[in-house]
Amino acid sequence: MGTDPVPGPIRLPLDTTSGHHSFAPLRDACAAELDEAMECGDTANIPPLVKAVAEFALIDRGALRPGSRRAQQTLRVGRLCLARRLIARHLSKPSLSPAMVAGLLGVSVRYIHVLFETTGTSFSQTVTALRMARSRRLLRETPPISIAEIADACGFGSLATFYRVFNASEGVTPGEFRAQTGASPFTSAAPSDPEAASHLTGK
């Protein structure tokens, strides 16, 4: 497994020379994603992000009309980047949904689905991947925290759901994953609710 992506906070809007202040969060989201892509060596995403950042600079300077087809494509990239960062910011909320992100972005739910369809990964798949990345990172940390706390921090509605999704993704339980990574076991990490326990025992 590679290094888990850990999206940083959404940057505050910066001033622009063209007056298109509403585009600043989209531009900043692209710049933040570019920084992370370069840090983790994500060569596939670096070129399109470099292009988007450069195009936003042209929009800022008035050299590229926001209504042009070229600018609209850049704005879509920016909205996708910002949507991903909003997902990361609200990842611990079980209520995280396309409607929530659409409301924060000021677009329709249908638009959110279209944005993610262009990547070949749905909104739901993106959320699950980020939750899994965060859970793997937390399971590796020392001193360890309980698996129940990790499930909560990653936005899983219940401990049983966390075990089911994690096992389906990794082929092992969270506890087994922790043992494989060399982290010390945490005695209170065992599931405490009957649903989770029955899931693990198959009863």
Side-chain angles (χ1 to χ4, degrees):
M1 300 175 191
T3 302
D4 293 332
V6 184
I10 298 171
R11 301 179 180 184
L12 294 175
L14 304 176
D15 288 336
T16 61
T17 57
S18 66
H20 296 299
H21 296 277
S22 61
F23 299 152
L26 307 184
R27 178 200 62 207
D28 293 345
C30 281
E33 294 242 324
L34 175 59
D35 288 344
E36 290 165 10
M38 293 178 69
E39 285 176 9
C40 67
D42 185 0
T43 56
N45 283 319
I46 289 175
L49 288 170
V50 167
K51 179 182 178 182
V53 170
E55 301 276 77
F56 270 113
L58 294 177
I59 294 173
D60 285 347
R61 287 162 177 73
L64 183 60
R65 291 185 302 104
S68 68
R69 180 178 299 180
R70 181 175 161 190
Q72 287 300 307
Q73 175 59 33
T74 299
L75 295 178
R76 279 193 292 273
V77 173
R79 290 189 185 101
L80 178 60
C81 289
L82 185 52
R84 287 178 178 143
R85 304 189 78 74
L86 288 169
I87 289 172
R89 172 180 281 186
H90 297 280
L91 201 60
S92 63
K93 298 179 180 178
S95 60
L96 178 61
S97 66
M100 176 190 289
V101 175
L104 292 170
L105 271 181
V107 299
S108 69
V109 174
R110 174 58 185 159
Y111 186 86
I112 289 293
H113 286 300
V114 170
L115 274 182
F116 283 92
E117 284 172 5
T118 62
T119 70
T121 304
S122 69
F123 179 93
S124 177
Q125 289 169 329
T126 299
V127 170
T128 298
L130 287 174
R131 282 177 169 159
M132 290 303 303
R134 178 176 291 182
S135 65
R136 289 193 300 268
R137 177 172 56 83
L138 292 175
L139 284 165
R140 294 189 188 105
E141 287 187 350
T142 54
I145 61 176
S146 75
I147 292 178
E149 289 176 297
I150 292 174
D152 184 63
C154 296
F156 290 96
S158 71
L159 192 56
T161 299
F162 178 45
Y163 270 84
R164 184 178 66 252
V165 174
F166 194 95
N167 204 352
S169 172
E170 305 299 316
V172 294
T173 67
E176 290 169 339
F177 179 88
R178 170 175 274 166
Q180 290 173 1
T181 60
S184 301
F186 190 92
T187 54
S188 65
S192 57
D193 64 49
E195 185 183 359
S198 64
H199 172 72
L200 291 180
T201 60
K203 297 178 181 179

